[in-house]
């Protein structure tokens, strides 16, 4: 018998998927939309690379919200290992249980009790595998490029099987494969093995028209003229060869919100000076640009 998720996938079209995303104010490019659509249809992980601040992480959040399912996030960082992603034991709770059960003197009973699932602290990957519901969860593996190659190899094995073995309990297998979105800011090159297992899309800065639409949707009440001028200024910053940490769409949104908060309805040098904290993330980048050129360009 066809379940809710299977029925949803069968009826899903690129147009319906775009409508779902837009209903949550996420405006995808055509290549991102089609890559996500095929990832859902084929049950494949989606690797999303690109500059920071262009909606890679937001894609997974919005997708989970639009589908009405759980978002499970695994934030990668330097030094992360498999145990931190999989599971741990609730040691204080186990110790308390041991003290309460010591009176029985039955060592085997104590071991069976303290190594049961109720004392298991599930990490993101085990939570994704043990998820129960009409729809699979969205598993966001964020900034995989920050993890080392050893963790990436472990992740590759997990994505092949979608199962987790806890020696004291047994093996947990996913009833439905999670929807996997993997993001990378390209601080290091992701391995070929992981790339081959995923569908791939590169997210770059949107053209002016789409960025204006994104900002207008995210900043309620913003005047279009102000947004268009802000997008033009941000484009000039991105075009500068001297600026290393270029502002993404998220910075454009923050900037327009900042301008609104200060009551600015136009962008002049004073408005720019008062809101530089929204656009620049490094002193060197701030010193590399001319504020007069940005405003007057």
């Amino acid at each position: 018998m066809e379940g809710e998720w299977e029925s949803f996938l069968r009826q899903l079209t690129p147009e319906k998927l775009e409508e779902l995303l837009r209903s949550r104010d996420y405006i995808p490019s055509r290549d991102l939309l089609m890559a996500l659509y095929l990832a859902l249809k084929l049950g494949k992980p989606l690797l999303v690379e690109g500059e920071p601040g262009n909606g890679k992480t937001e894609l997974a959040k919005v997708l989970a919200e639009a589908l009405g399912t759980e978002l499970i996030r695994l934030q990668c960082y330097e030094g992360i290992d498999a145990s931190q992603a999989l599971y741990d034991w609730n040691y204080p709770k186990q110790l308390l249980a041991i003290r309460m059960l010591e009176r029985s003197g039955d060592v085997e009973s104590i071991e069976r009790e303290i190594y049961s699932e109720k004392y298991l602290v599930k990490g993101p990957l085990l939570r994704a595998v043990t998820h129960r519901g009409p729809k699979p969860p969205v598993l966001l593996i964020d900034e995989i490029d920050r993890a080392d190659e050893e963790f990436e190899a472990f992740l590759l094995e997990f994505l092949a099987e979608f199962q987790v073995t806890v020696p004291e309990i047994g093996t947990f297998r996913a009833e439905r494969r999670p929807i996997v979105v993997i993001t990378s800011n390209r601080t290091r090159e992701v391995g070929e093995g992981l790339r081959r297992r995923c569908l791939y899309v590169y997210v770059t800065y949107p053209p002016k028209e789409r960025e204006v639409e994104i900002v207008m949707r995210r900043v309620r009440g913003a005047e279009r003229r102000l947004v268009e001028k802000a997008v033009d200024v941000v484009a000039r910053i991105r075009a500068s060869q001297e600026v290393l940490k270029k502002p993404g769409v998220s910075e454009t949104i923050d900037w327009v919100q900042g301008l609104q908060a200060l009551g600015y309805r136009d962008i002049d040098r004073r408005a720019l000076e008062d809101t530089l904290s929204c656009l620049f993330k490094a002193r060197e980048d701030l010193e590399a640009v001319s504020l007069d050129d940005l405003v007057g360009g």
Side-chain angles (χ1 to χ4, degrees):
M1 183 177 177
E2 187 177 63
E4 178 182 338
W5 176 243
E6 290 72 23
S7 175
F8 170 82
L9 278 183
R10 181 173 53 79
Q11 299 175 51
L12 185 65
T13 64
E15 292 73 23
K16 288 181 179 179
L17 179 58
E18 182 173 18
E19 185 180 337
L20 275 174
L21 297 177
R22 282 178 169 268
S23 71
R24 299 305 191 277
D25 294 330
Y26 191 94
I27 316 300
S29 62
R30 179 67 179 179
D31 55 347
L32 177 59
L33 174 68
M34 295 309 297
L36 178 60
Y37 173 75
L38 290 174
L40 291 172
K41 282 286 193 177
L42 301 178
K44 303 274 284 185
L46 178 62
L47 173 59
V48 188
E49 282 194 325
E51 298 297 328
N54 283 318
K56 300 186 298 299
T57 299
E58 190 69 13
L59 174 65
K61 295 179 179 179
V62 168
L63 182 62
E65 185 180 333
L67 295 177
T69 191
E70 182 182 7
L71 172 70
I72 300 173
R73 181 173 183 173
L74 171 59
Q75 178 62 54
C76 297
Y77 53 87
E78 185 178 353
I80 188 173
D81 60 29
S83 64
Q84 291 161 314
L86 290 174
Y87 67 90
D88 202 349
W89 293 102
N90 188 330
Y91 296 113
K93 192 174 178 180
Q94 283 178 319
L95 286 173
L96 183 61
I98 289 171
R99 289 173 183 169
M100 295 177 64
L101 294 168
E102 274 178 341
R103 299 169 188 171
S104 68
D106 186 346
V107 176
E108 290 187 1
S109 297
I110 294 174
E111 288 182 348
R112 281 196 302 271
E113 170 63 20
I114 65 171
Y115 288 114
S116 58
E117 191 171 347
K118 67 181 178 180
Y119 296 98
L120 199 60
V121 180
K122 298 179 180 179
L125 299 187
L126 183 54
R127 283 174 54 206
V129 166
T130 57
H131 175 88
R132 299 293 179 263
K135 296 178 181 177
V138 174
L139 173 59
L140 168 62
I141 301 174
D142 212 10
E143 298 183 316
I144 184 61
D145 51 315
R146 292 185 179 274
D148 57 28
E149 294 178 3
E150 183 179 351
F151 182 78
E152 188 180 312
F154 152 75
L155 195 59
L156 188 61
E157 182 179 350
F158 170 81
L159 293 175
E161 303 294 336
F162 285 101
Q163 65 180 36
V164 174
T165 298
V166 180
E168 298 85 351
I169 298 178
T171 298
F172 297 87
R173 293 182 178 84
E175 287 185 355
R176 290 188 180 91
R177 290 194 165 210
I179 302 163
V180 182
V181 177
I182 305 172
T183 72
S184 169
N185 292 329
R186 300 200 70 175
T187 57
R188 73 165 177 86
E189 194 67 23
V190 175
E192 288 301 315
L194 187 61
R195 289 182 181 277
R196 286 196 302 270
R197 186 162 295 283
C198 301
L199 300 189
Y200 175 82
V201 65
Y202 187 87
V203 178
T204 188
Y205 304 114
K208 178 179 177 177
E209 296 76 14
R210 186 154 60 86
E211 187 162 5
V212 169
E213 183 181 1
I214 292 169
V215 177
M216 291 291 294
R217 281 178 173 255
R218 290 302 180 101
V219 187
R220 302 299 183 187
E223 295 183 9
R224 189 174 188 88
R225 187 175 68 87
L226 178 69
V227 172
E228 289 179 345
K229 190 164 185 178
V231 169
D232 286 339
V233 173
V234 170
R236 292 184 199 117
I237 298 173
R238 292 172 186 159
S240 172
Q241 298 296 321
E242 287 76 26
V243 175
L244 298 180
K245 298 183 185 300
K246 302 183 189 298
V249 179
S250 62
E251 280 75 30
T252 310
I253 293 169
D254 288 345
W255 188 30
V256 173
Q257 289 175 331
L259 291 166
Q260 273 193 321
L262 293 173
Y264 286 112
R265 303 184 65 181
D266 196 6
I267 300 173
D268 54 18
R269 183 184 173 94
R270 177 66 180 273
L272 185 56
E273 286 177 341
D274 286 348
T275 53
L276 288 174
S277 58
C278 299
L279 291 173
F280 294 95
K281 308 301 181 182
R283 184 189 58 158
E284 294 79 6
D285 288 342
L286 181 57
E287 294 173 347
V289 298
S290 164
L291 300 189
D292 290 327
D293 288 345
L294 290 178
V295 174

